[in-house]
Amino acid sequence: MGGGLIGCATAWRLAREGAKVTVLDSGDFGMGASGQNAGSLHFQLERRFLENGDALAEQATRTAALNRLAISDWSSLEADLATNLHITMNGGLMVAETAEECALLELKIARENAEGLRTRMIDGHEARQIAPYLSEAICAAGYSPDEGHADARLVTHAIAIAADKTGALLRPRCRVQSIRRVCREYVVRTAAEQFAASQILIACGAWTAHVAAMLNLHVPLFPVGLLMNATERVAQVVPHLVQHVGRRLSMKQTHSGNLLIGGGWPSRMALDAEGRFTLYRPPAVIEASLRGNLRVAIDVAPMVATINLVRSWTGITAISADQLPIVGEIPAMPGCWVAGGGSAFTLGPTFARLIAQSMSGTKCEELEIVAPSRFAHLNSFMGQ
Amino acid sequence: MTDHYDVAIVGGGPAGQAAALTLDDLKLKTVVIDEQPQAGGQILRQPPQSFRIPGWMEDRTYAPLVELLRRFEARTSIHWIGSHSVIGLRREPDGLFALTICSPDGLRSITAARVLIAAGCQDLAVPLPGWTLPGVYSAGGMQALLKAQRIVPGEQIVLAGTHPLQLLIAAQLVEAGGGVAAVLFSQPHGTMLKAGIRNSLRAFDRLSTAFPAVRALATLRKHGVKVLYNAPIQAICGTDRVAAVQHSGGEIACDAVGLCYGFVSQSSLPRMMSAKMRRAGPAGGWATLCDEWMQSSIQGLYVAGETTGVAGANAALASGNIAGFGIGAELGAISRDEAARRVARHRANRRSLLRFARLLDEIADPRPFFPALRDDTLVCRCEDVAFAQIGPVLDGRSANAVKLVTRCGMGLCQGRNCEPTLLRLLDNPNDPGFTARFPARPVPISDLAT
Amino acid sequence: MMRLDHGIERGRRIQIILDGERVDVFEGETLAAAMIEQSSAFRRDSNGMARGMFCNMGTCGECTVTLLPGGQRVRACLVPAQVGMDVTRD
Ligand SMILES: Cc1cc2nc3c(=O)[nH]c(=O)nc-3n(C[C@H](O)[C@H](O)[C@H](O)COP(=O)(O)OP(=O)(O)OC[C@H]3O[C@@H](n4cnc5c(N)ncnc54)[C@H](O)[C@@H]3O)c2cc1C
Ligand SMILES: Cc1cc2nc3c(=O)[nH]c(=O)nc-3n(C[C@H](O)[C@H](O)[C@H](O)COP(=O)(O)OP(=O)(O)OC[C@H]3O[C@@H](n4cnc5c(N)ncnc54)[C@H](O)[C@@H]3O)c2cc1C
Ligand code: FES
């Protein structure tokens, strides 16, 4: 359930192994977060893990093993799919402007190196040698040679095509309306059809909690509205992924030449008639977010100042109660798998490969850190 | 810097002017914002103030509009902000509307208790092989070059399409001393006549007086300009610029082409506000739905003129008056009863003009005549997306989904040019079209950054 | 192209810089009008094809040019030519 990156990629992997798979999406495939995201392939520890205390940073560091797998999954994806997805892995810089930010970078890099990630600290001068578009105000950067970006417009679409060719049944515009567990099977209904499956995967992104509720389950994934900005196309100048350790920024240049500027700035989720968050209307742009986001971009790369903004869009992604992704089988519901939360573009192909492997019966230790079992207590009062 | 007004009007065409004058009469503090330097809208696109053009727009059909424009310009109590594009519109938590406006000198914010969108329309962009060659213009754009810049963009111009306005434009070009090689109508003469006759009863009162196409035909005859019917344009040829057009009956050498298939409402701002829209007439596009006072589905957001569906300048003028009284009544500057009395004649006038507009829509209906697309015909001019890239994903998915995988609609025009074509290709009456996004016009990053 | 000259007085003749070259234009006419007098082709698209202006009303973006030295990207069909302007089509 869910034809985003995770759903499609899992189907593709499973179908390649000979499983009989169906993917259902309420809309067109890849139109959720998978088609709205920034396309960053970031392997350095994310800024959001650094701004909420040591414990979280420590825990997040332990997901580094997943990042290592993601590097190799992205490196082989285009060859596996025999398509050009505009994947570039020319390196990424997480920049710092102040002494405190430099100190934070150092700590971060030490943690990453301990986990076997190839990041290194470079000074402002070296940063500008690698990336001449950076401002003089940049005093240091964490440099990861593996980082980069892929074209989020194309990835899920291409994987869906591959899944289809491999024999998976793809059903766009088929919203899952109910799920029942009957003996050892799950019966999934849409408006017009029903499907029986021995195993199901709920990969509905920000909608995951709604869909899990059909099984009387809690999955603590919360929708958050984010903002992205695209400029007009300009000559290629930014071959890297650029992030900031102390301020929210992700910046890259697409294959077509647009600069994409984001970095986790919030947008305002729409409310329904009852005053609850709704996922069915796009979040509104928060002016302060827009202005703040573009300011960081100019501070980091002054040349963006004169380029025209052509589009700001908002998208909804899912974040879990503890910020780490939730990926694995639900302990109380054998055969029911869930995957979502966090940076599941970067990690999506890896999650998909590991879930497919686990569903086929080979246990994956790498997924333990993100297993849903850590929230089992939420379902201890939920009757099956 | 934020200035506050009772009413902010987007667009200084006939609709915006009429509404502003009404609101000003009612003593409401009103601002009119337009990205053109001067008021007038598309129909009276004014020449630069440094030009002297004796007899500019002297033709009697324009007289009421010119009179309105002069009154508007003389009314100094209405605040005019020209050369500024409205790029964003939103509702603040306190209920006020906030408009973000920009010019080459930077960005400004305006708040207003009520907003009227009178943003007019644009030419329907119709892709065909060769339409991206330099020298191919939208016919309205070509006309505006003549009206406001006194430039004729060629010596052998071809106008082609389905809309009778091209007769008028061709006549204006030859009268000004320009050379028109031909006017090509895709539809047979009979179809146009039949539509005219079928509707003659309801539109009879206007056909003779308000249909200047008849006079234009005479002018064209006098200048020996060929007007061909049943001659759909199929391709435009040339390497670095226009050299000829091919139509069903042959080839015509030319150095400029004006495409004239009708007009579509400018809809980005109301759609940004999630106002309820309807698919507009045969030319496509989105018209904003409104009530009898021109209020959209969003409380406090009014619409007038071509924003509510393309119906011509006089209908725009009438609807601007209605909107002015509607807003005035809502803000307590006039009683509802009095407002209703004052708008009665504008409503009656508008009703009859809308009937005429429907006749024109029928005569100009481009749907049977859209040129065939070749694989390499660009559907999206901004992002250079060819028909070959779009064809394979026309599998029932939405316009937004096609946009995502093909980039069709992702460029500087924000999809204004390609959306009608894409929706036509998708042929799904329930497709809501591209999600409208900020900004409504491109804006430099530095203007927005704090 | 032709700037019509009978029955019209244009503004003052001024010079602007267009792609590094001085060109005579009339004060107040749009940059697009001034450019079209030079050539109807404004730029090349990603297929290398020549492209010009299209809508002449600010909606299509085809006429976007860069103003130097600031670097702002503006729609030439909306911006009046003024003394000293330095415009590039890149
Ligand atoms: C603006 C933005 C920027 C981001 N930037 C990055 C980034 O740079 N790098 C990164 O790694 N991550 C980024 N992310 C996060 C990333 O996009 C998501 O984590 C990832 O795409 C999630 O993929 P998914 O397949 O789980 O979910 P989605 O892509 O959201 O797919 C879920 C699908 O489920 C479908 N669905 C919902 N309800 C039902 C139902 N009842 N029945 C059937 N189908 C249903 C939806 O239609 C949707 O297609 C960003 C997210 C956003 C919003
Ligand atoms: C190029 C062109 C030529 C035309 N020529 C004729 C003709 O010769 N005869 C005829 O009968 N009809 C013509 N029309 C139809 C014409 O639009 C209407 O008859 C009439 O002008 C409509 O009046 P209006 O007030 O609704 O809109 P308009 O007159 O179009 O006025 C709308 C104004 O809003 C401004 N605007 C729009 N969006 C924004 C924004 N985001 N920010 C700031 N300003 C904005 C525009 O610059 C414009 O000045 C033409 C249309 C076009 C597009
Ligand atoms: S020619 Fe279309 S925006 Fe200027």
Side-chain angles (χ1 to χ4, degrees), chain B residues 45 52 150 152 381 384, chain C residues 9-10 46 51 56 62:
Chain B
R45 185 85 82 76
R52 292 276 162 279
R150 280 309 194 220
V152 179
R381 300 174 65 103
D384 306 335
Chain C
E9 277 170 53
R10 289 172 199 270
S46 58
R51 300 284 285 268
N56 188 32
E62 291 269 14

Side-chain angles (χ1 to χ4, degrees), chain A residues 28 30-31 35 153 157 173 233 256 258 287 290-291 294-295 304-305 307-314, chain B residues 90 107 382-383 395-398 400-401 404-405 407 410 412 414 437-439 442-446 448 450:
Chain A
D28 290 315
M31 293 300 285
R153 296 188 307 103
H157 178 67
R173 301 176 293 278
R233 293 186 283 163
S256 320
N258 318 74
E287 195 180 7
L290 174 72
R291 290 173 171 269
L294 299 178
R295 169 48 55 196
V304 306
I307 301 174
N308 278 328
L309 175 76
V310 291
R311 196 165 48 259
S312 296
W313 75 88
T314 57
Chain B
R90 59 176 197 283
L107 206 73
C382 301
E383 299 297 299
D395 55 5
R397 74 183 71 194
S398 63
N400 278 326
L404 185 71
V405 293
R407 306 184 55 80
M410 286 197 175
L412 281 172
Q414 331 268 30
R437 299 290 191 187
F438 176 90
V443 52
I445 299 271
S446 55
L448 283 168
T450 26

Side-chain angles (χ1 to χ4, degrees), chain A residues 76-366:
Chain A
S76 58
L77 193 61
E78 282 179 334
D80 282 356
L81 293 167
T83 331
N84 186 350
L85 302 173
H86 305 149
I87 299 175
T88 65
M89 293 168 82
N90 293 329
L93 298 109
M94 192 180 283
V95 302
E97 289 176 286
T98 65
E100 297 86 75
E101 288 168 359
C102 290
L104 196 58
L105 262 187
E106 266 170 15
L107 275 173
K108 178 188 85 79
I109 290 171
R111 285 184 193 278
E112 286 161 355
N113 291 164
E115 290 293 330
L117 286 172
R118 300 196 286 163
T119 26
R120 70 186 170 88
M121 183 89 170
I122 59 178
D123 63 14
H125 179 71
E126 188 177 354
R128 275 179 295 278
Q129 272 184 339
I130 297 173
Y133 50 84
L134 289 178
S135 148
E136 286 295 324
I138 302 304
C139 55
Y143 179 70
S144 154
D146 302 306
E147 283 186 329
H149 52 92
D151 206 329
R153 296 188 307 103
L154 302 180
V155 171
T156 304
H157 178 67
I159 294 176
I161 290 175
D164 178 59
K165 282 197 185 134
T166 325
L169 181 66
L170 302 190
R171 286 299 174 92
R173 301 176 293 278
C174 289
R175 180 193 305 279
V176 173
Q177 294 184 331
S178 75
I179 314 170
R180 267 181 315 131
R181 199 170 168 206
V182 184
C183 301
R184 302 185 56 202
E185 277 202 331
Y186 291 89
V187 177
V188 177
R189 295 180 82 99
T190 66
E193 282 174 293
Q194 71 175 37
F195 302 84
S198 55
Q199 300 193 74
I200 57 173
L201 168 64
I202 305 175
C204 290
W207 293 263
T208 298
H210 292 199
V211 176
M214 296 175 193
L215 283 165
N216 198 35
L217 281 179
H218 283 304
V219 175
L221 284 175
F222 301 93
V224 285
L226 295 178
L227 171 72
M228 281 302 305
N229 305 285
T231 71
E232 61 185 320
R233 293 186 283 163
V234 293
Q236 293 290 338
V237 262
V238 181
H240 313 108
L241 171 65
V242 183
Q243 301 181 83
H244 198 298
V245 69
R247 300 165 73 184
R248 296 184 187 199
L249 176 70
S250 77
M251 184 162 70
K252 67 195 64 72
Q253 190 167 13
T254 65
H255 177 78
S256 320
N258 318 74
L259 289 161
L260 298 187
I261 300 170
W265 289 81
S267 56
R268 185 179 298 111
M269 298 262 304
L271 301 178
D272 66 13
E274 264 88 60
R276 293 169 307 204
F277 290 130
T278 173
L279 305 177
Y280 299 99
R281 274 186 290 137
V285 172
I286 297 174
E287 195 180 7
S289 280
L290 174 72
R291 290 173 171 269
N293 196 175
L294 299 178
R295 169 48 55 196
V296 195
I298 295 177
D299 288 350
V300 168
M303 57 86 191
V304 306
T306 56
I307 301 174
N308 278 328
L309 175 76
V310 291
R311 196 165 48 259
S312 296
W313 75 88
T314 57
I316 304 176
T317 188
I319 191 144
S320 73
D322 65 359
Q323 293 225 49
L324 296 185
I326 302 178
V327 183
E329 194 169 18
I330 307 265
M333 283 258 168
C336 174
W337 299 70
V338 61
S343 298
F345 184 72
T346 301
L347 297 177
T350 304
F351 288 155
R353 187 170 56 76
L354 299 179
I355 297 165
Q357 191 180 319
S358 312
M359 280 183 144
S360 315
T362 314
K363 205 166 171 303
C364 291
E365 275 171 15
E366 293 92 340

Side-chain angles (χ1 to χ4, degrees), chain B residues 9-18 33-45 57 62 65 80-81 83-88 100-102 117-124 138-144 147 163 165 168-169 172 212 262-264 266 268-269 304-317 319 360 416 440-441, chain C residues 55-59 75 78:
Chain B
I9 299 179
V10 184
Q17 294 162 34
I33 309 142
D34 200 301
E35 56 191 351
Q36 292 293 338
Q38 299 173 74
Q42 300 306 345
I43 184 118
L44 293 186
R45 185 85 82 76
M57 302 305 269
Y62 296 114
L65 299 169
W80 165 255
I81 304 182
S83 302
H84 278 73
S85 305
V86 179
I87 59 166
T100 310
I101 66 178
C102 79
I117 301 178
C121 60
Q122 64 170 96
D123 293 76
L124 169 68
S138 66
M142 192 180 256
Q143 185 197 30
K147 275 186 204 166
H163 201 286
L165 185 67
L168 217 69
I169 299 176
Q172 288 168 346
F263 297 89
V264 292
Q266 294 224 48
S268 39
L269 294 171
E306 313 292 41
T307 305
T308 63
V310 176
N314 292 315
L317 196 165
S319 67
L360 202 55
R416 280 184 282 272
R441 300 286 189 263
Chain C
C55 75
N56 188 32
M57 58 174 284
T59 54
R75 286 163 285 163
L78 290 179

Side-chain angles (χ1 to χ4, degrees), chain B residues 58 71 198 245 266 274:
Chain B
E58 238 173 17
R71 272 202 295 139
R198 221 182 3 263
V245 299
Q266 294 224 48
S274 304

